[in-house]
Amino acid sequence: MSLCPCGSGTDFDQCCGPIIAGAPAPSPEALMRSRYTAFVRDEIDHIENTHAHDVRDDFSRSSAENLARSVKWAGLEIVKTEGGGAEDETGTVEFIARFKQDGQLMAHHELSTFRRDDGRWFYVDGTINPKGQPRQVEKVGRNEPCPCGSGKKYKKCCGA
């Protein structure tokens, strides 16, 4: 038994192995995990074959091979997933792939978009270093009621 490099905590043969061998991924997250594992295991055919047909011409096999062979992969963290359920035709996976290159620990942070075509999930594109929603800060005036709900004016409560 060998643990899958994707970090799922399960055996490779029950996790990413079947997907890399050609089985359809059940979700965008499963496909993302298998693509990471394919980089770790230098299975570039899987990376190429899981690109959506309309973007496959943009895939550079030599760049993918160079990346897979020039770094030591250090782990995958799935930050967030959206969509990708049984009724969905699209989904996104935000992830951070950590690796060492030239002795330096680095991270690749991406928000990937996936699409289901003929029952199979495919990688469409990704946004590198995605930005979250900006924080909304509401300014409270000194003489307004305190937002903590105490009933006091802000200046006599939390603003003191």
Side-chain angles (χ1 to χ4, degrees):
M1 179 175 141
S2 63
L3 287 179
C4 192
C6 77
S8 66
T10 59
D11 183 58
F12 171 76
D13 293 332
Q14 271 77 52
C15 190
C16 293
I19 300 170
I20 291 173
S27 67
E29 180 180 345
L31 183 59
M32 180 63 247
R33 288 181 178 279
S34 73
R35 288 170 57 85
Y36 172 82
T37 298
F39 271 111
V40 172
R41 296 174 57 97
D42 198 17
E43 300 270 357
I44 305 306
D45 286 343
H46 179 67
I47 303 297
E48 185 171 10
N49 294 336
T50 56
H51 270 73
H53 297 288
D54 55 331
V55 298
R56 201 169 288 172
D57 289 342
D58 296 335
F59 177 74
S60 170
R61 186 177 183 90
S62 61
S63 294
E65 287 172 341
N66 288 339
L67 176 63
R69 295 174 184 156
S70 68
V71 303
K72 178 161 177 41
W73 298 97
L76 175 68
E77 174 188 347
I78 302 296
V79 177
K80 178 176 65 172
T81 62
E82 289 184 8
E87 303 297 316
D88 296 325
E89 294 299 315
T90 61
T92 60
V93 178
E94 184 177 350
F95 70 93
I96 301 171
R98 291 184 172 74
F99 58 93
K100 275 192 173 182
Q101 189 169 33
D102 300 324
Q104 191 172 22
L105 186 61
M106 303 176 89
H108 174 85
H109 185 189
E110 182 175 325
L111 176 62
S112 297
T113 304
F114 295 87
R115 179 177 65 227
R116 188 186 339 244
D117 291 331
D118 295 326
R120 297 181 75 96
W121 287 104
F122 291 94
Y123 172 83
V124 178
D125 62 14
T127 302
I128 308 298
N129 297 323
K131 304 288 184 220
Q133 293 290 333
R135 274 190 359 192
Q136 298 291 329
V137 178
E138 193 173 313
K139 186 159 174 108
V140 179
R142 291 173 32 89
N143 290 315
E144 292 180 29
C146 189
C148 76
S150 67
K152 298 179 183 179
K153 288 185 178 181
Y154 178 71
K155 68 183 178 185
K156 295 284 187 179
C157 188
C158 294

